[in-house]
């Protein structure tokens, strides 16, 4: 690990003025520093800021960015009103990591692409312009949607997938004192020609809260994760879904997917294929067709395309009560 300066911020305003990389739980950043994938010159410790509470707001909740994942998952309001979020959090990492990892840090964790972590490999995300060894290499965990010829990495998170389906908004503080509210659907960037640019955050901008609107009344929620082993593994495919049904007709649908793209993936065409339609196999197949239109495998990850179809259809059956 290379040497760096360290300072502890006394307030959010002091943190954004300090100039440096923010560190709270450090569950991702410290690993990257040990491998010299990231070598920040200055760390700004924000772990003691008063940003670890959950507040009621306009029928929804305002979640502090420093709230540990385990506390968020166990909060009775989250369990009762946002069960998909609680389940997504509990599907991530291990109990020890969830006790330390924070809400804001979870949103910003970086890809687990093997080549990104290997400083001897070519990786445009780690070193722009160096190439992408995942394309044409071992790419079993990699993306099938939203890729470019520069990068096929996936976003590794569980919590952000559920928050995308729940229409979360990220609240930030900028060094000039301005605050922003960024819908989660506008927060992450696709790789394009700049895979090293992962979010729309500006230099020094700090996530302070995540706002969840009130959940749709009567809708059922689900989070399902398919992975190589039962715990402590990243998703091959995951789905967070919020679906309402009345008299056999789907009245509300919000679906987000993990393990498929550079960001938690949500496609309006999928939801359009469901809302107003009778629940059943034909409708579910149409939604899967919409999701996978343009999907592309890269060899080792070709299996993700049929697997995603099965995961989506099975989730919709469970949420609507339709038999297999």
């Amino acid at each position: 690990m290379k040497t760096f300066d360290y300072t502890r911020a006394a307030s959010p305003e002091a943190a954004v003025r300090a100039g440096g990389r923010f560190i709270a739980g450090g569950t991702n950043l410290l690993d990257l520093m040990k491998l010299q994938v990231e070598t920040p010159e200055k760390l700004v410790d924000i772990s003691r800021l008063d940003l670890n509470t959950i507040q009621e707001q306009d029928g929804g909740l305002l979640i502090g960015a420093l709230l540990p994942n385990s506390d968020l998952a166990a909060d009775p309001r989250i369990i009762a009103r946002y069960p998909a979020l609680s389940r997504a959090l509990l599907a991530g990492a291990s109990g020890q990591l969830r006790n330390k990892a924070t809400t804001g840090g979870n949103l910003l964790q970086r890809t687990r692409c093997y080549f990104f972590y290997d400083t001897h490999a070519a990786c445009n995300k780690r070193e722009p312009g160096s190439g992408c060894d995942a394309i044409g290499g071992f790419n079993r965990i990699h993306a099938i949607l939203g890729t470019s010829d520069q990068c096929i990495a996936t976003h590794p998170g569980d919590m952000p997938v559920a928050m995308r389906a729940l229409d979360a908004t990220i609240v930030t503080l900028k060094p000039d004192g301005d605050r922003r509210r960024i819908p989660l659907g506008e927060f992450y960037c696709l790789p394009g020609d700049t895979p090293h640019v992962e979010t729309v955050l500006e230099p020094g901008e700090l996530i302070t809260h995540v706002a969840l609107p009130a959940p749709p009344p009567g809708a059922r929620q689900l989070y399902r994760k398919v992975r190589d082993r039962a715990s402590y593994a990243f998703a091959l495919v995951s789905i967070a879904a919020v679906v309402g049904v009345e008299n056999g007709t789907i009245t509300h649908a919000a679906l987000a997917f993990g393990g498929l793209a550079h960001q938690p993936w949500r496609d309006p065409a999928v939801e359009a294929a469901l809302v107003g339609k009778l629940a059943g196999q034909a409708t579910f197949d149409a939604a899967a067709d919409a999701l996978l239109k343009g999907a592309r495998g890269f060899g080792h990850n070709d299996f993700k395309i049929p697997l995603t179809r099965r995961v989506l259809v099975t989730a919709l059956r469970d949420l609507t009560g339709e038999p297999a």
Side-chain angles (χ1 to χ4, degrees):
M1 185 182 292
K2 294 186 177 181
T3 58
F4 55 88
D5 293 331
Y6 169 88
T7 186
R8 180 177 292 160
S11 68
E13 291 76 15
V16 298
R17 290 195 302 265
R21 288 293 305 277
F22 302 125
I23 185 168
T27 55
N28 188 203
L29 179 58
L30 289 178
D31 283 343
L32 294 171
M33 290 174 64
K34 290 174 184 177
L35 295 170
Q36 296 192 17
V37 174
E38 293 203 29
T39 56
E41 296 181 356
K42 182 178 183 179
L43 291 184
V44 181
D45 186 346
I46 61 171
S47 62
R48 300 191 184 187
L49 300 184
D50 186 19
L51 295 172
N52 58 359
T53 61
I54 301 178
Q55 306 168 44
E56 298 283 342
Q57 184 183 77
D58 301 327
L61 297 176
L62 186 66
I63 302 164
L66 296 181
L67 187 71
N69 288 175
S70 54
D71 291 358
L72 182 58
D75 189 278
R77 293 165 292 185
I78 297 295
I79 294 171
R81 291 150 60 179
Y82 307 95
L85 176 56
S86 180
R87 293 168 189 159
L89 286 159
L90 293 174
S94 65
Q96 295 93 331
L97 286 170
R98 291 194 296 270
N99 287 341
K100 193 68 176 174
T102 63
T103 300
N106 197 309
L107 290 166
L108 294 173
Q109 62 180 311
R110 305 196 71 187
T111 184
R112 261 58 179 190
C113 170
Y114 328 112
F115 304 102
F116 173 72
Y117 271 77
D118 180 359
T119 55
H120 299 290
C123 174
N124 288 317
K125 179 179 288 294
R126 189 187 65 252
E127 186 180 348
S130 64
C132 176
D133 278 348
I135 299 174
F138 183 62
N139 48 45
R140 185 170 182 274
I141 66 170
H142 288 72
I144 60 172
L145 293 169
T147 61
S148 74
D149 59 5
Q150 299 293 309
C151 183
I152 59 172
T154 56
H155 186 277
D158 293 289
M159 183 199 79
V161 178
M163 285 189 168
R164 182 82 193 268
L166 292 165
D167 293 315
T169 297
I170 296 172
V171 183
T172 71
L173 176 65
K174 297 167 66 174
D176 62 5
D178 285 350
R179 293 187 179 272
R180 281 208 290 173
R181 295 178 65 89
I182 308 168
L184 189 55
E186 300 173 11
F187 181 71
Y188 294 104
C189 303
L190 289 177
D193 293 329
T194 55
H196 60 290
V197 180
E198 297 176 351
T199 74
V200 299
L201 288 178
E202 299 175 7
E205 190 169 7
L206 173 69
I207 297 174
T208 61
H209 298 86
V210 177
L212 291 177
R220 299 180 65 187
Q221 298 182 24
L222 170 149
Y223 183 78
R224 183 162 294 159
K225 180 178 182 178
V226 178
R227 47 188 164 178
D228 283 326
R229 56 180 183 267
S231 66
Y232 202 62
F234 297 99
L236 296 171
V237 180
S238 66
I239 179 173
V242 183
V243 174
V245 181
E246 186 174 342
N247 297 324
T249 298
I250 299 171
T251 57
H252 178 87
L255 297 92
F257 299 85
L260 302 184
H262 209 70
Q263 59 181 237
W265 190 262
R266 185 170 172 182
D267 186 343
V270 177
E271 295 161 16
L274 293 169
V275 175
K277 309 297 194 304
L278 286 173
Q281 188 64 45
T283 297
F284 303 160
D285 285 341
D289 290 342
L291 173 64
L292 294 168
K293 182 180 180 180
R296 176 190 174 193
F298 291 87
H300 298 284
N301 69 345
D302 292 349
F303 73 96
K304 282 193 176 188
I305 296 175
L307 176 60
T308 299
R309 177 178 292 274
R310 291 196 296 270
V311 169
L312 172 56
V313 170
T314 302
L316 290 172
R317 284 176 183 158
D318 290 347
L319 286 165
T320 61
E322 286 294 304

